[in-house]
Amino acid sequence: MTGKIATMQACLWFDDQAEEAAKFYTSIFKDSQIKRTQYYTNSGQEVHGKPPYSVLTVEFSLNGMEFMALNGGPEFKFSEAVSFVVNCDSQDEIDHYWEKLGEGGDKTAQVCGWLKDRYGVSWQISPSELPDWIDDPHSEAAKRVMDALMKMGKLDIATLHSAYLGE
């Protein structure tokens, strides 16, 4: 293949909250922006049922990751089968993303660093070091970290690091 390199973006299907969700997410992540909004036309109304000139898609980026939010109707819902991982370098970052993304979300879905936001999108708010701490499934350190992690909702870096060190 020659020519331009293909780019990728995640597409999030909403009933009619695409613009609201894009504004919500870009308000949480520092390096983010809404890039483009597209609108339905009269064409295809018999298929999509959306009013002409209502929001079709909103393209946005969060910390360099590209997204498209689509107002596609109520047919499809989000599930935990797809989630977005936010790797954090400090407890302050974990606290920030946990609080902001979890606001209005399903509190019963807040386990082991996972949460669902108000739109039903799943997020993993995790310490950047976690993959290194659990890299060897046969090590006692990885077992201790996993034992500690499985008891948490929001992850606590100090507790997980202490478990890794065996303290």
Side-chain angles (χ1 to χ4, degrees):
M1 293 180 60
T2 61
K4 188 176 176 183
I5 296 173
T7 60
M8 295 174 51
Q9 67 185 164
C11 180
L12 304 174
W13 179 297
F14 296 90
D15 180 3
D16 61 4
Q17 309 94 343
E19 187 172 36
E20 174 187 318
K23 288 178 180 177
F24 174 69
Y25 298 136
T26 57
S27 75
I28 294 170
F29 292 86
K30 290 178 187 171
D31 182 20
S32 65
Q33 66 177 327
I34 293 178
K35 296 181 167 188
R36 176 173 36 189
T37 303
Q38 296 176 313
Y39 301 89
Y40 280 101
T41 65
N42 289 324
S43 298
Q45 239 185 333
E46 67 281 356
V47 176
H48 59 70
K50 298 291 186 182
Y53 313 110
S54 63
V55 172
L56 168 64
T57 63
V58 179
E59 294 180 30
F60 61 102
S61 66
L62 304 176
N63 289 359
M65 186 170 178
E66 301 296 322
F67 290 86
M68 177 190 298
L70 165 71
N71 281 333
E75 293 83 7
F76 301 112
K77 304 291 182 206
F78 296 110
S79 84
E80 293 83 354
V82 173
S83 63
F84 298 99
V85 181
V86 181
N87 293 305
C88 301
D89 292 329
S90 70
Q91 190 64 47
D92 285 344
E93 280 186 317
I94 287 177
D95 295 345
H96 168 78
Y97 292 118
W98 188 266
E99 176 187 326
K100 297 295 184 186
L101 289 167
E103 185 178 295
D106 180 357
K107 299 297 181 196
T108 65
Q110 295 182 347
V111 294
C112 303
W114 289 61
L115 62 81
K116 274 190 186 180
D117 69 25
R118 63 180 70 172
Y119 304 103
V121 175
S122 292
W123 299 83
Q124 297 180 56
I125 313 302
S126 179
S128 299
E129 301 96 331
L130 185 61
D132 293 332
W133 295 340
I134 60 174
D135 198 35
D136 179 1
H138 302 292
S139 79
E140 285 301 312
K143 181 184 179 317
R144 290 190 304 268
V145 171
M146 288 302 293
D147 286 345
L149 183 143
M150 291 297 175
K151 297 173 187 158
M152 295 181 184
K154 176 177 69 175
L155 300 186
D156 181 275
I157 292 176
T159 301
L160 293 171
H161 189 239
S162 291
Y164 177 72
L165 296 175
E167 297 174 345

